[in-house]
Amino acid sequence: MAKIIVVTSGKGGVGKTTSAAAIATGLALRGNKTIVIDFDVGLRNLDLIMGCERRVVYDLVNVIQGEATLNQAMIRDKRTENLFILPASQTRDKDALTPEGVEQILNNLKDEFDYIICDSPAGIERGAQLAMYYADEAIVVTNPEVSSVRDSDRILGLLGSKTRLAEQGKEQVKEHLLITRYNPHRVDHGDMLNLNDITEILSIKLLGLIPESEAVLRASNQGVPVTHDDDSDAGQAYADTVSRLLGEDVPLRFHEAQKKSFLSRMFGGRR
Amino acid sequence: MKLLDFLKRERKKSASVAKERLQIIVAHQRGHRGQPDYMPMLEQELLEVIRRYVSVDQDAVNITLDSEDDCSILELNVTLPNSKDDT
């Protein structure tokens, strides 16, 4: 039975799709059969980040409306074994998603996969609520910045009330905090919220911390999830995040400012 | 003297300002968490009714909904202006 994990945030542009792609890739690299689903109907982007935009024929909405089968719409990732992508529709509007349709797709995928990653659209409207509704766990992506933290708190409120688990009243969706675009230098200067402040305000457990990194833009430029760039800080930070998601106890990295060595300052070692 | 003041004055770090602001707003948001969807409308309409009789500020009305075991308590707190000014 697959575990359904929603990657959500409320605010846009904080790194939901980057994180969903990187975490799905990491899970697949660790041998888990994984599918990542784009719920952002009308503004799909996951296919670009995963580098499969030219292979999209059918999408989530086609499957819900019975115009294609799930197998026709799923795209097998070329780089990573065990990894599949289900793209969102670019042309339809978000009302094309129905709770029954989404439930049926997830039920069909549940037996075949170990992990189903739902990449939520921004906002707290229908698309975002459908992406989280059937989730077992949630990864709340947050930037160290006031509006992002506030929106994350709003999303936590919805996770606690507008999900299937919450409505059944038996158990809660397991909530994880993923802080992205963290800049330890700015934190040291007192110009950026530090990770303890954020975890304290939101009072959920920290799953991972991704430093602000040049590798992220480089990865999206190329359409290769940043997890594959295992020399980069962001790539390693996502790999750590995946390990923790799998229950391993991995110490936090990249949260302290590194003093640049004399040599790297001279030669500008950037990576 | 002014220069000395300037040097001595410790500028408050922007991150701690952000933290304080967030703590307040998040506490406020959580107060509203789990309340029924009609609450903001109810609050607005109650305020309108009260304003027909007394002129009160937007934030002079405070409504909370507490749930206990088998009942919910709707608590309405209105701070009325001093009656002398009201005439």
Side-chain angles (χ1 to χ4, degrees), chain A residues 35 44 52-77 84-88 105 108-109 112-113:
Chain A
I35 182 162
R44 75 164 176 234
C52 63
E53 69 276 10
R54 292 173 57 169
R55 295 164 61 210
V56 176
V57 183
Y58 294 111
D59 56 58
L60 182 63
V61 174
N62 290 135
V63 180
I64 286 180
Q65 306 205 326
E67 295 155 359
T69 66
L70 204 46
N71 279 322
Q72 284 175 308
M74 282 188 331
I75 301 169
R76 179 189 290 271
D77 191 83
F84 293 80
I85 301 118
L86 185 55
I105 288 184
N108 289 339
L109 294 170
E112 203 188 327
F113 286 89

Side-chain angles (χ1 to χ4, degrees), chain A residues 48 74 95 110 141 166 175 178 203 206 249:
Chain A
L48 270 179
M74 282 188 331
D95 294 332
K110 261 190 149 177
V141 183
E175 299 158 341
L178 179 65
S203 55
L206 184 68
D249 191 12

Side-chain angles (χ1 to χ4, degrees), chain A residues 21 45-56 75-79 85 219-225:
Chain A
N45 273 318
L46 181 69
D47 53 335
L48 270 179
I49 301 298
M50 297 293 299
C52 63
E53 69 276 10
R54 292 173 57 169
R55 295 164 61 210
V56 176
I75 301 169
R76 179 189 290 271
D77 191 83
K78 276 194 171 157
R79 290 178 195 83
I85 301 118
S220 74
N221 284 341
Q222 295 169 317
V224 181

Side-chain angles (χ1 to χ4, degrees), chain A:
Chain A
M1 273 286 263
K3 202 174 258 182
I4 303 176
I5 303 178
V6 60
V7 179
T8 184
S9 72
K11 190 173 182 298
V14 297
K16 275 184 300 297
T17 301
T18 299
S19 299
I23 289 169
T25 302
L27 286 167
L29 286 172
R30 300 281 300 266
N32 301 287
K33 194 167 182 192
T34 305
I35 182 162
V36 52
I37 308 177
D38 192 349
F39 274 81
D40 204 346
V41 174
L43 288 171
R44 75 164 176 234
N45 273 318
L46 181 69
D47 53 335
L48 270 179
I49 301 298
M50 297 293 299
C52 63
E53 69 276 10
R54 292 173 57 169
R55 295 164 61 210
V56 176
V57 183
Y58 294 111
D59 56 58
L60 182 63
V61 174
N62 290 135
V63 180
I64 286 180
Q65 306 205 326
E67 295 155 359
T69 66
L70 204 46
N71 279 322
Q72 284 175 308
M74 282 188 331
I75 301 169
R76 179 189 290 271
D77 191 83
K78 276 194 171 157
R79 290 178 195 83
T80 318
E81 221 184 318
N82 295 322
L83 182 59
F84 293 80
I85 301 118
L86 185 55
S89 170
Q90 184 70 296
T91 49
R92 313 289 180 90
D93 61 65
K94 57 186 186 302
D95 294 332
L97 286 184
T98 61
E100 300 76 26
V102 172
E103 183 175 22
Q104 199 175 358
I105 288 184
L106 293 175
N107 282 340
N108 289 339
L109 294 170
K110 261 190 149 177
D111 296 325
E112 203 188 327
F113 286 89
D114 299 314
Y115 286 94
I116 301 173
I117 308 294
C118 302
D119 180 22
S120 171
I124 53 172
E125 303 295 316
R126 188 187 175 86
Q129 293 202 13
L130 269 175
M132 70 168 67
Y133 188 75
Y134 298 99
D136 301 307
E137 300 189 17
I139 297 174
V140 179
V141 183
T142 306
N143 286 171
E145 178 264 324
V146 283
S147 48
S148 174
V149 176
R150 179 203 220 174
D151 290 359
S152 294
D153 183 69
R154 286 278 282 140
I155 284 292
L156 289 171
L158 293 179
L159 285 167
S161 60
K162 302 264 162 103
T163 52
R164 183 172 54 172
L165 287 184
E167 284 175 5
Q168 287 172 346
K170 281 184 227 146
E171 50 184 324
Q172 286 282 308
V173 175
K174 194 172 176 191
E175 299 158 341
H176 307 277
L177 176 64
L178 179 65
I179 300 176
T180 56
R181 299 190 136 173
Y182 194 74
N183 185 332
H185 291 283
R186 302 204 71 186
V187 172
D188 281 357
H189 283 108
D191 280 332
M192 184 178 269
L193 287 164
N194 75 40
L195 68 111
N196 296 323
D197 292 344
I198 302 169
T199 44
E200 187 191 319
I201 291 165
L202 294 175
S203 55
I204 56 170
K205 205 155 179 278
L206 184 68
L207 177 73
L209 179 122
I210 313 300
E212 172 116 79
S213 167
E214 293 168 11
V216 173
L217 180 60
R218 208 159 50 220
S220 74
N221 284 341
Q222 295 169 317
V224 181
V226 71
T227 323
H228 285 294
D229 188 358
D230 43 21
D231 290 332
S232 70
D233 47 2
Q236 292 173 12
Y238 274 116
D240 287 357
T241 303
V242 168
S243 300
R244 289 188 203 102
L245 200 56
L246 293 169
E248 293 165 29
D249 191 12
V250 182
L252 207 59
R253 290 194 277 174
F254 313 111
H255 59 295
E256 280 165 350
Q258 299 290 316
K259 289 265 184 295
K260 274 196 172 171
S261 73
F262 176 70
L263 276 178
S264 75
R265 221 179 286 181
M266 288 285 290
F267 298 107
R270 291 191 157 204
R271 228 170 138 79

Side-chain angles (χ1 to χ4, degrees), chain B residues 16-69:
Chain B
S16 54
V17 179
K19 186 184 177 184
E20 281 165 27
R21 293 174 62 213
L22 275 168
Q23 279 170 327
I24 294 165
I25 195 74
V26 164
H28 183 254
Q29 268 180 191
R30 288 187 183 166
H32 290 264
R33 208 179 261 184
Q35 72 179 18
D37 296 338
Y38 60 73
M39 279 295 278
M41 274 294 278
L42 177 67
E43 204 168 322
Q44 192 57 41
E45 285 182 32
L46 281 171
L47 185 66
E48 276 167 28
V49 172
I50 293 165
R51 274 186 173 163
R52 264 183 237 155
Y53 302 91
V54 208
S55 71
V56 291
D57 287 338
Q58 183 81 31
D59 50 2
V61 179
N62 182 20
I63 301 179
T64 52
L65 187 67
D66 280 324
S67 297
E68 279 171 28
D69 300 331

